[in-house]
mmCIF file of all heavy atoms in Angstrom:
data_model
loop_
_atom_site.group_PDB
_atom_site.id
_atom_site.type_symbol
_atom_site.label_atom_id
_atom_site.label_comp_id
_atom_site.label_asym_id
_atom_site.label_seq_id
_atom_site.Cartn_x
_atom_site.Cartn_y
_atom_site.Cartn_z
ATOM 1 N N ASP C 215 -2.860 25.251 -25.737
ATOM 2 C CA ASP C 215 -3.783 25.875 -24.771
ATOM 3 C C ASP C 215 -4.374 27.117 -25.363
ATOM 4 O O ASP C 215 -3.887 27.668 -26.281
ATOM 5 C CB ASP C 215 -2.902 26.258 -23.523
ATOM 6 C CG ASP C 215 -3.708 26.785 -22.369
ATOM 7 O OD1 ASP C 215 -4.955 26.548 -22.352
ATOM 8 O OD2 ASP C 215 -3.145 27.424 -21.464
ATOM 9 N N LYS C 217 -5.671 30.737 -24.155
ATOM 10 C CA LYS C 217 -5.695 31.565 -22.972
ATOM 11 C C LYS C 217 -6.799 32.629 -22.950
ATOM 12 O O LYS C 217 -7.268 32.968 -21.904
ATOM 13 C CB LYS C 217 -4.321 32.339 -22.919
ATOM 14 C CG LYS C 217 -3.139 31.427 -22.728
ATOM 15 C CD LYS C 217 -2.348 31.836 -21.540
ATOM 16 C CE LYS C 217 -1.483 30.719 -20.960
ATOM 17 N NZ LYS C 217 -0.699 29.974 -21.943
ATOM 18 N N GLY C 229 -6.580 31.563 -17.115
ATOM 19 C CA GLY C 229 -5.637 30.479 -16.856
ATOM 20 C C GLY C 229 -5.609 29.445 -17.934
ATOM 21 O O GLY C 229 -4.786 28.584 -17.979
ATOM 22 N N GLY C 230 -6.539 29.528 -18.943
ATOM 23 C CA GLY C 230 -6.647 28.550 -20.006
ATOM 24 C C GLY C 230 -8.093 28.075 -20.091
ATOM 25 O O GLY C 230 -8.657 27.528 -19.139
ATOM 26 N N TYR C 276 7.479 22.501 -17.339
ATOM 27 C CA TYR C 276 6.508 22.771 -18.379
ATOM 28 C C TYR C 276 6.883 24.044 -19.132
ATOM 29 O O TYR C 276 6.797 25.117 -18.590
ATOM 30 C CB TYR C 276 5.116 22.836 -17.637
ATOM 31 C CG TYR C 276 4.007 23.668 -18.179
ATOM 32 C CD1 TYR C 276 3.985 24.053 -19.526
ATOM 33 C CD2 TYR C 276 2.910 24.016 -17.396
ATOM 34 C CE1 TYR C 276 2.928 24.869 -20.038
ATOM 35 C CE2 TYR C 276 1.865 24.766 -17.885
ATOM 36 C CZ TYR C 276 1.915 25.225 -19.176
ATOM 37 O OH TYR C 276 0.834 25.969 -19.689
ATOM 38 N N ASN C 292 7.154 26.820 -16.539
ATOM 39 C CA ASN C 292 6.395 26.663 -15.332
ATOM 40 C C ASN C 292 6.941 25.439 -14.578
ATOM 41 O O ASN C 292 7.573 24.536 -15.157
ATOM 42 C CB ASN C 292 4.882 26.401 -15.640
ATOM 43 C CG ASN C 292 4.292 27.677 -16.252
ATOM 44 O OD1 ASN C 292 4.570 28.823 -15.831
ATOM 45 N ND2 ASN C 292 3.517 27.443 -17.303
ATOM 46 N N ARG C 294 5.304 22.945 -12.748
ATOM 47 C CA ARG C 294 4.178 22.132 -12.319
ATOM 48 C C ARG C 294 3.404 21.624 -13.517
ATOM 49 O O ARG C 294 3.753 22.075 -14.651
ATOM 50 C CB ARG C 294 3.201 23.056 -11.475
ATOM 51 C CG ARG C 294 2.918 24.243 -12.415
ATOM 52 C CD ARG C 294 1.963 25.217 -11.858
ATOM 53 N NE ARG C 294 1.981 26.392 -12.683
ATOM 54 C CZ ARG C 294 1.295 26.574 -13.785
ATOM 55 N NH1 ARG C 294 0.441 25.629 -14.236
ATOM 56 N NH2 ARG C 294 1.401 27.712 -14.489
ATOM 57 N N PHE C 295 2.450 20.738 -13.382
ATOM 58 C CA PHE C 295 1.556 20.396 -14.498
ATOM 59 C C PHE C 295 0.749 21.622 -14.886
ATOM 60 O O PHE C 295 0.283 22.409 -14.035
ATOM 61 C CB PHE C 295 0.535 19.349 -14.029
ATOM 62 C CG PHE C 295 1.016 17.895 -14.093
ATOM 63 C CD1 PHE C 295 1.236 17.147 -12.958
ATOM 64 C CD2 PHE C 295 1.230 17.313 -15.363
ATOM 65 C CE1 PHE C 295 1.614 15.818 -13.073
ATOM 66 C CE2 PHE C 295 1.612 15.991 -15.417
ATOM 67 C CZ PHE C 295 1.873 15.268 -14.291
ATOM 68 N N GLY C 296 0.532 21.762 -16.203
ATOM 69 C CA GLY C 296 -0.386 22.822 -16.632
ATOM 70 C C GLY C 296 -1.788 22.419 -16.298
ATOM 71 O O GLY C 296 -2.183 21.301 -16.143
ATOM 72 N N ASP C 297 -2.646 23.510 -16.188
ATOM 73 C CA ASP C 297 -4.066 23.318 -15.986
ATOM 74 C C ASP C 297 -4.733 24.177 -17.053
ATOM 75 O O ASP C 297 -4.631 25.406 -17.005
ATOM 76 C CB ASP C 297 -4.404 23.811 -14.618
ATOM 77 C CG ASP C 297 -5.868 23.568 -14.216
ATOM 78 O OD1 ASP C 297 -6.610 23.169 -15.158
ATOM 79 O OD2 ASP C 297 -6.267 23.845 -13.059
ATOM 80 N N PRO C 298 -5.335 23.607 -18.104
ATOM 81 C CA PRO C 298 -5.859 22.246 -18.244
ATOM 82 C C PRO C 298 -4.956 21.156 -18.792
ATOM 83 O O PRO C 298 -5.383 19.986 -18.839
ATOM 84 C CB PRO C 298 -6.991 22.505 -19.286
ATOM 85 C CG PRO C 298 -6.830 23.798 -19.904
ATOM 86 C CD PRO C 298 -5.761 24.549 -19.149
ATOM 87 N N GLU C 299 -3.700 21.507 -19.160
ATOM 88 C CA GLU C 299 -2.889 20.499 -19.854
ATOM 89 C C GLU C 299 -2.781 19.108 -19.161
ATOM 90 O O GLU C 299 -2.668 18.048 -19.827
ATOM 91 C CB GLU C 299 -1.410 21.033 -20.072
ATOM 92 C CG GLU C 299 -1.309 22.134 -21.119
ATOM 93 C CD GLU C 299 -1.455 23.558 -20.550
ATOM 94 O OE1 GLU C 299 -2.128 23.680 -19.491
ATOM 95 O OE2 GLU C 299 -0.934 24.488 -21.170
HETATM 96 N N1 LIG O 1 -2.531 26.422 -18.923
HETATM 97 C C1 LIG O 1 -1.668 27.443 -18.442
HETATM 98 C C2 LIG O 1 -1.027 27.057 -17.133
HETATM 99 O O1 LIG O 1 -1.300 26.107 -16.577
HETATM 100 O O2 LIG O 1 -0.293 27.938 -16.639
#
Side-chain angles (χ1 to χ4, degrees):
D215 186 17
K217 296 236 160 47
Y276 153 16
N292 296 315
R294 54 176 169 86
F295 274 113
D297 184 352
E299 286 92 334

